[in-house]
Structure formats: structure tokens, C-alpha cells
Amino acid sequence: MSVKEVLNQLEDLFEMDENSLNVDMQLADIEEFDSMVKLSLIVMSDDDFGKKLTAEQINEFVKVKDVIDFLLG
């Protein structure tokens, strides 16, 4: 899966318009990045990428790139 495909999945998860996310965005600046999205991200990580993600790990992410690096890493 490509970075662009993951960005598209994250935009869907965050309920954001297409092409509104980029890898350098700060998660703290994304209004839609709330507790429900974090929970959905944990489920998506497991279901779509086969990776276990914890709330503690999510809290360590600073940029969108950190999320993508985890999912694709």
C-alpha cells in the first residue's frame, strides 16, 4: 500500500475532504483527530494492517507521517 492510499484511508477515518491531509501536518492541529478517531485508528490498524496499536503509541505520534510510518513500517 502506498503513502497516498494510507492518506486517503486516514481522510476517510477523520471524515475529512479528499487531499486535505499531508504527511507533515501536526496531529494536534487536526480538529477531527479526537478520541473516537483514535479508537477507530486502533481498529483500522489491526483490521487493515495487521498491527496492534495502543492508545499510548497514538499519544506519541506528532505528525500524520508518524501514523503512516507505523502502519506501513
Side-chain angles (χ1 to χ4, degrees):
M1 184 173 289
S2 72
V3 170
K4 180 61 181 161
E5 290 170 322
V6 176
L7 275 174
N8 289 341
Q9 275 192 278
L10 292 174
E11 287 167 346
D12 287 344
L13 188 70
F14 295 3
E15 296 181 0
M16 296 174 74
D17 293 334
E18 190 173 331
N19 299 317
S20 58
L21 279 181
N22 69 63
V23 294
D24 294 320
M25 291 177 79
Q26 299 280 327
L27 292 169
D29 294 338
I30 300 172
E31 189 175 311
E32 295 84 357
F33 193 66
D34 60 14
S35 59
M36 289 303 295
V37 167
K38 291 176 183 179
L39 188 58
S40 296
L41 182 59
I42 290 171
V43 173
M44 183 185 86
S45 176
D46 189 32
D47 289 351
D48 296 349
F49 295 89
K51 296 188 174 233
K52 299 290 183 196
L53 179 62
T54 66
E56 291 80 20
Q57 289 171 300
I58 291 174
N59 290 333
E60 293 176 8
F61 296 153
V62 176
K63 294 185 176 189
V64 172
K65 182 182 185 322
D66 298 330
V67 177
I68 293 171
D69 287 346
F70 175 82
L71 294 173
L72 294 179

